[in-house]
């Protein structure tokens, strides 16, 4: 098993800096959670302090943090930095789809823009507590819109810009948004006229709650404007008042709703509140990214997802970071785009998803090697288990073996990072998210809820107690909140993930629990088999699912993408089977291996196993909903070439 010790230079300068210190702070945070979280809360500026740090009862799915306290999230991300004399420092570096376009906004600029936008929303009738839906691409006004909502106490509900009109409609209706903020059209990769406003128009045909649409002019492409309903952003701000006092919010007032898909069809409106979320995102951003003033920090996620909310906007901005926001995609105009941006803006901290790394790794080392990546100091990943080959590629080719990699495990529901290495502290092992963050108390339980003590165990990942940014409810459906997260293992928060704890007490996420395949009575994690297949030098990516087998119960079907330019030889299948057999055991050997150009993925890069399971099981007449796929055309070729 490979492992990597913290590099001395990082260690000497890190906030925590040694495993002993981590253990000491961690123990304190667990033994005295209220003391610990009261101290961490000092990084936020409060208008009024709390009466009680926490109150919770998992049996009722009732959780509150910093009750009685008052604050404003936008004030914490913008105003106070200006008040403290940092107004001229850069807050946001925006990089356009094409390298010819980029923009820098200082904290002063941001304060001006946010107040204008906040007053524009007010002039459209938005009041404290109202929901505002935001449906945009990655343009600066998106960040401004979030902060403007937070400033006036409106609850934002961001819907990822690639969602269809139908998805937008159902999300707007679920939370009864009053105003929709969008843009004329969008540019992303080779797409230069994504019909955002036209999609919005289709959606709002059936959304009675929407009174106004605020439209940013991004491309200038003609769009229809309904005069009694639609307002141009630039016109609204031109006539808006320039000052807008931040609303005084209670710590438990909602900050935002963000939809996430569940095991059933209807997406859940995950609701986060203000105080605990701000404390947790800023604390985790500080320690995990070890952010030092002036550093350039780039999280490549889209603000349409939780990672963008917590680690492009709220966490970094509360910490007065310079945060990069990118409109485009990693492979446009070519596979060097990420690295070109790293070189151009001298990015120090880079946070991305394993799926992006795999896509880039597949194209070879020449792209990153064309650029100067010396500025990079720390790398991070999120979203799915990272496997050894891409971890090693990230470590050696991108990080030049000198950057710590933080593999951060968390969820939309958790609001912030929960299990992660700390730079300069944790000896990392490729594929492991390692240890819990301060205040986080994970536990592994078997399917009957029995606690699995000690090391070398594998089970369901639960949390024994809340942390400040845990979601507070499913919007409009508290029962669903309780049922989904607190009923399976009473008294505990159930993540829905499987996990093992190794001989060193490190956590390894094995994937969603529903991704476990039982073959001849053996529990097999799809992630584990995929990791093993990925060990074959020609393999770029693999996804395995179970399909019914008369004798074993289930058998394994592997969908495998080879690296560009690699040929399938008559030996490839046997070689892969051999590797899996050697890594895990004969019971894990895929019975069928189908080579494919691509895998069915959601727009956030998650493989939709349900579809693969259906293909593998020959259920091709009922593949289920494929409308949320990034590229639905891969399905047809998978079906036609199934084994
Ligand atoms: C998975 C994203 C392994 C996990 C922030 C989780 C991970 C789900 C990791 C949440 C990681 C996220 N290693 N698996 N570092 N990070 N996951 O809500 O299954 O989009 O439950 O939040 O992604 O996805 P979500």
């Amino acid at each position: 098993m490979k492992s990597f010790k913290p590099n001395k230079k990082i260690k000497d300068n890190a906030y925590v800096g040694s495993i002993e210190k981590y253990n000491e702070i961690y123990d304190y945070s667990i033994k005295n959670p209220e003391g610990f979280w009261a101290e961490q809360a000092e990084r936020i500026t409060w208008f009024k302090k709390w009466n009680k740090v926490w109150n919770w009862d998992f049996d009722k799915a009732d959780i509150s943090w910093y009750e009685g306290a008052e604050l404003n999230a936008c004030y914490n991300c913008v105003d106070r930095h200006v008040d403290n004399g940092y107004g001229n420092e850069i807050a946001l570096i925006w990089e356009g789809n094409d390298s010819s376009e980029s923009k820098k906004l200082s904290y002063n600029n941001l304060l001006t823009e946010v107040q204008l936008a906040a007053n524009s929303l007010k002039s459209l009738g938005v009041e404290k507590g109202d929901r505002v839906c935001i449906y945009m691409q990655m343009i600066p006004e998106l960040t401004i819109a979030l902060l403007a909502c937070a400033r006036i106490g409106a609850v934002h509900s961001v819907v990822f810009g690639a969602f269809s009109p139908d998805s937008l409609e159902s999300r707007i209706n679920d939370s009864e948004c009053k105003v929709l903020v969008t843009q004329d059209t969008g540019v992303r990769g080779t797409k230069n006229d994504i019909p955002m406003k036209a999609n919005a128009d289709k959606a709002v045909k059936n959304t009675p709650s929407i009174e106004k649409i605020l439209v940013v002019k991004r491309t200038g492409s003609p769009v229809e404007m309904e005069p009694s309903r639609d307002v141009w952003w630039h016109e609204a701000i031109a006539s808006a008042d320039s000052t807008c006092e931040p609303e005084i919010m209670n710590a438990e007032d909602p900050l935002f709703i963000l939809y996430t898909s569940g095991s059933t069809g209807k997406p859940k409106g995950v609701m986060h509140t203000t105080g605990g979320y701000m404390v947790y995102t800023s604390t985790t951003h500080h320690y995990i990214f070890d952010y030092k003033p002036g550093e350039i920090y780039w999280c490549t996620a889209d603000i349409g997802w939780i990672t963008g909310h917590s680690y492009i906007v709220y966490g970094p901005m509360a910490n007065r970071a310079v945060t990069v926001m990118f409109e485009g995609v990693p492979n446009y105009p070519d596979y060097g785009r990420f690295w070109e941006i790293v070189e151009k803006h001298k990015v120090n901290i880079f946070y991305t998803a394993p799926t992006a790394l795999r896509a880039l790794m597949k194209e070879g080392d020449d792209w990153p090697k064309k650029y100067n990546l010396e500025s990079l100091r720390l790398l991070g990943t999120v979203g799915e288990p990272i496997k050894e080959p891409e971890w090693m590629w990230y470590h050696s080719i991108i990080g030049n073996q000198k950057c710590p990699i933080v593999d951060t495990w968390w969820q939309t529901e958790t609001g912030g990072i929960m299990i992660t290495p700390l730079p300069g502290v944790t000896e990392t092992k490729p594929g492991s998210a390692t240890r819990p963050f301060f205040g986080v108390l994970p536990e592994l339980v078997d399917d009957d809820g029995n606690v699995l003590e000690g090391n070398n165990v594998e089970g369901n990942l639960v949390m024994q107690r809340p942390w400040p940014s845990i979601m507070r409810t499913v919007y409009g459906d508290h029962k669903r909140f309780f049922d989904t997260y607190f009923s399976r293992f009473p008294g505990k928060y159930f993540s829905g993930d499987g996990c093992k704890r190794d001989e060193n007490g490190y956590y390894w996420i094995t994937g969603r629990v529903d991704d476990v395949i039982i073959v001849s009575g053996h529990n097999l994690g799809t992630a584990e088999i995929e990791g093993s297949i990925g060990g074959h030098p020609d393999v770029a990516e693999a996804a395995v699912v179970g399909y019914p087998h008369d004798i074993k119960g289930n058998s394994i079907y592997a969908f495998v993408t080879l690296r560009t330019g690699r040929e399938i030889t008559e030996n490839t299948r046997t070689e892969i089977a051999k590797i899996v057999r050697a890594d895990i055991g004969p019971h894990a050997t895929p019975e069928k291996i189908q080579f494919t150009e691509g895998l069915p993925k959601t727009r956030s890069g998650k493989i939709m196993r349900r579809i693969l399971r259906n293909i593998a099981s020959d259920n091709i007449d009922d593949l289920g909903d494929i409308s949320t796929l990034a590229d639905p055309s891969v399905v047809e070729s998978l079906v036609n070439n199934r084994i």
Side-chain angles (χ1 to χ4, degrees), residues 260 306-307 381-386 407-413 433 495 497 509 511-512 606:
T260 182
I306 190 69
T307 306
T381 71
V382 58
E384 57 182 315
I386 182 165
D407 171 357
T408 64
W409 176 84
W410 59 295
Q411 310 178 290
T412 304
E413 295 87 338
S495 67
D497 278 347
I509 306 298
R512 301 297 302 184
K606 289 212 170 63

